[in-house]
């Protein structure tokens, strides 16, 4: 297995923080819109749950990757070895993946609020999007 440098982990953490912040903010905006809505259907509750999960997972990712970023930055006051990076890497990447899954679920469910035809379309696009993202992440 190839050992990656601290510089690489630093750049990866920086990019992941930016992406997770944007996606988490989007998820929180959806939560806010549902909270002020007068509708209280089962479908909206499911969308609210998926949005809450997405926002929470992206927040966890931001903090895990911030720890990774700080530990791999020159001038970090403590001695860091490769194994010290394992927990923030695992937590950050798993929560990022779950955040993406939750966000895609939210998008897939959104079409069902309009019609059956739109629901099928958004669900199909959501599945297709998930497959493409998994391919790009591997």
């Amino acid at each position: 297995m190839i050992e990656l440098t601290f510089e690489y982990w630093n750049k990866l953490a920086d990019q992941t923080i930016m992406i997770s912040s944007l996606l988490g903010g989007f998820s929180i905006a959806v939560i806010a819109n549902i909270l002020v809505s007068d509708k209280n259907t089962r479908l909206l509750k499911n969308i609210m749950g998926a949005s809450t999960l997405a926002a929470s997972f992206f927040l966890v990712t931001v903090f895990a990757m911030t720890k990774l970023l700080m530990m791999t930055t020159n001038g970090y006051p403590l001695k860091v070895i490769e194994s010290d990076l394992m927990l923030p890497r695992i937590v950050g990447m798993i929560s990022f993946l779950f955040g993406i899954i939750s966000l895609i679920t939210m998008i897939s469910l959104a079409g069902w609020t309009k019609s059956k035809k739109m629901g099928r379309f958004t669900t199909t696009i959501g599945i297709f999007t998930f497959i493409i993202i998994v391919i790009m992440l591997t």
Side-chain angles (χ1 to χ4, degrees):
M1 190 162 124
I2 300 172
E3 190 171 315
L4 300 173
T5 65
F6 279 13
E7 183 181 350
Y8 177 81
W9 285 115
N10 188 281
K11 297 290 184 190
L12 182 65
D14 188 43
Q15 291 299 310
T16 307
I17 290 167
M18 184 184 69
I19 293 166
S20 297
S21 297
L22 292 171
L23 295 177
F26 172 75
S27 301
I28 291 169
V30 171
I31 293 169
N33 281 324
I34 293 174
L35 284 175
V36 298
S37 173
D38 293 334
K39 295 181 182 179
N40 195 22
T41 66
R42 182 173 160 234
L43 181 57
L44 281 177
K45 288 177 184 177
N46 288 335
I47 294 171
M48 176 75 152
S51 300
T52 303
L53 284 172
S56 299
F57 284 128
F58 287 130
L59 282 172
V60 169
T61 301
V62 167
F63 284 98
M65 289 298 159
T66 298
K67 180 174 182 170
L68 186 64
L69 181 75
M70 295 307 296
M71 292 173 76
T72 58
T73 298
N74 286 334
Y76 186 71
L78 304 175
K79 175 119 173 86
V80 179
I81 57 174
E82 185 74 25
S83 62
D84 294 338
L85 305 179
M86 191 62 68
L87 182 62
R89 281 180 9 206
I90 291 171
V91 170
M93 294 317 285
I94 289 174
S95 62
F96 184 67
L97 183 61
F98 285 154
I100 289 171
I101 291 168
S102 300
L103 186 63
I104 291 172
T105 301
M106 177 184 67
I107 293 167
S108 297
L109 290 173
W112 293 98
T113 62
K114 295 297 175 189
S115 69
K116 206 177 227 184
K117 185 177 179 181
M118 184 58 73
R120 287 187 193 120
F121 175 75
T122 56
T123 300
T124 301
I125 295 299
I127 292 167
F128 181 69
T129 301
F130 178 73
I131 290 168
I132 298 295
I133 288 173
V134 168
I135 290 170
M136 292 298 113
L137 288 177
T138 56

